[in-house]
Amino acid sequence: MTRLYKYFFRGLITVLPLALTIYLLYIFLAWTEAVALTFLRPFIGGFYVPGMGLALGILGILAIGYLVSKERVQHVLTLVEMPFTNLPVVKSIYSSLKSFADYFSPSSKNTAQQVVILRVPGQQLELVGLVTRRSMEGLPEGFTQGDRVAVYLPMGYMIGGYTVFVPQDWVQPIQMSVEEAMRSSLIAWMARAENNNNNRPAPPAGPEAPAGRPAAPGNTGNTDTNGPA
């Protein structure tokens, strides 16, 4: 019975991530196609091929991306964004989402995207964070000026995080992408058991030989001077 119990949960752990990933992708694709067809229905009428809405939606997003790369369209987009950047509550939501999207944008020229290890002097703990700002310029009065950086420290399972302003020499860059660091933080940096095989503690050393025991043959380092002549 114990073996069946073990096999069941091993199979469940194997199937569950795959099933949930496929299910979430299905929901997202179905929602995307439904939204695209809502806008395309006046033009195509009753004609429909499965996947057509999704394909046309992707082409539409590519076309929008091409257009907003033009300077004239950017001016028009600025006018369209005015209601979203001036209304009190909407402004906070829109600005936060836009800044978050720009931070992870591949074309972003923000050089602050970097994963670092934060070490507080006098403490042995290490914190993994993301550098989000490399200067205090533009911040309101009251912030400590000088060679400081802003570091975002995500919490496990994405329940929040903290942003701290620390001296530059407290942080050390590490070779890890932002996406990998966020993904590791999401699961609280848990590692698979097979990845920890190299970190197993060494077996304890055998008991030391008691003092006064004659040395082994060939070992002339120590001799028993109290033995028979």
Side-chain angles (χ1 to χ4, degrees):
M1 191 65 183
T2 303
R3 182 172 298 180
L4 293 177
Y5 180 82
K6 183 188 300 183
Y7 288 161
F8 174 79
F9 277 94
R10 184 175 297 174
L12 181 64
I13 293 173
T14 302
V15 173
L16 191 60
L18 294 173
L20 289 177
T21 302
I22 295 174
Y23 179 68
L24 292 176
L25 285 176
Y26 170 77
I27 293 178
F28 174 75
L29 294 177
W31 176 81
T32 304
E33 184 164 1
V35 172
L37 285 176
T38 301
F39 293 97
L40 294 174
R41 188 67 66 185
F43 303 98
I44 63 176
F47 177 77
Y48 173 70
V49 176
M52 181 178 63
L54 177 61
L56 294 178
I58 294 176
L59 292 177
I61 293 176
L62 291 175
I64 294 174
Y66 171 77
L67 291 175
V68 297
S69 62
K70 304 299 181 180
E71 186 176 356
R72 293 182 179 179
V73 179
Q74 289 180 359
H75 292 304
V76 177
L77 183 61
T78 302
L79 297 177
V80 174
E81 288 182 331
M82 287 184 63
F84 299 94
T85 56
N86 290 281
L87 294 176
V89 178
V90 178
K91 177 177 66 175
S92 300
I93 299 175
Y94 180 76
S95 299
S96 300
L97 293 176
K98 184 174 177 60
S99 299
F100 184 80
D102 290 341
Y103 184 82
F104 290 97
S105 173
S107 60
S108 175
K109 297 181 179 179
N110 182 15
T111 59
Q113 286 194 34
Q114 194 172 45
V115 183
V116 296
I117 291 288
L118 172 61
R119 296 186 177 95
V120 180
Q123 302 291 332
Q124 295 185 359
L125 61 86
E126 296 181 348
L127 303 172
V128 179
L130 308 176
V131 173
T132 58
R133 177 185 286 267
R134 293 192 175 276
S135 69
M136 301 297 102
E137 182 180 357
L139 294 178
E141 295 183 1
F143 281 86
T144 302
Q145 300 299 319
D147 189 16
R148 288 177 170 263
V149 294
V151 181
Y152 173 69
L153 304 174
M155 300 175 63
Y157 304 102
M158 291 300 176
I159 60 174
Y162 300 94
T163 302
V164 294
F165 296 86
V166 298
Q168 175 71 44
D169 56 359
W170 283 20
V171 299
Q172 176 184 350
I174 57 177
Q175 296 298 324
M176 177 179 286
S177 65
V178 174
E179 292 79 7
E180 185 179 356
M182 296 298 288
R183 182 171 60 250
S184 298
S185 299
L186 175 62
I187 59 174
W189 294 87
M190 289 189 298
R192 295 180 179 271
E194 57 266 23
N195 294 336
N196 295 330
N197 291 334
N198 296 330
N199 297 327
R200 292 179 178 176
E208 297 181 356
R213 175 178 295 181
N219 184 3
T220 59
N222 292 319
T223 58
D224 188 359
T225 57
N226 297 327

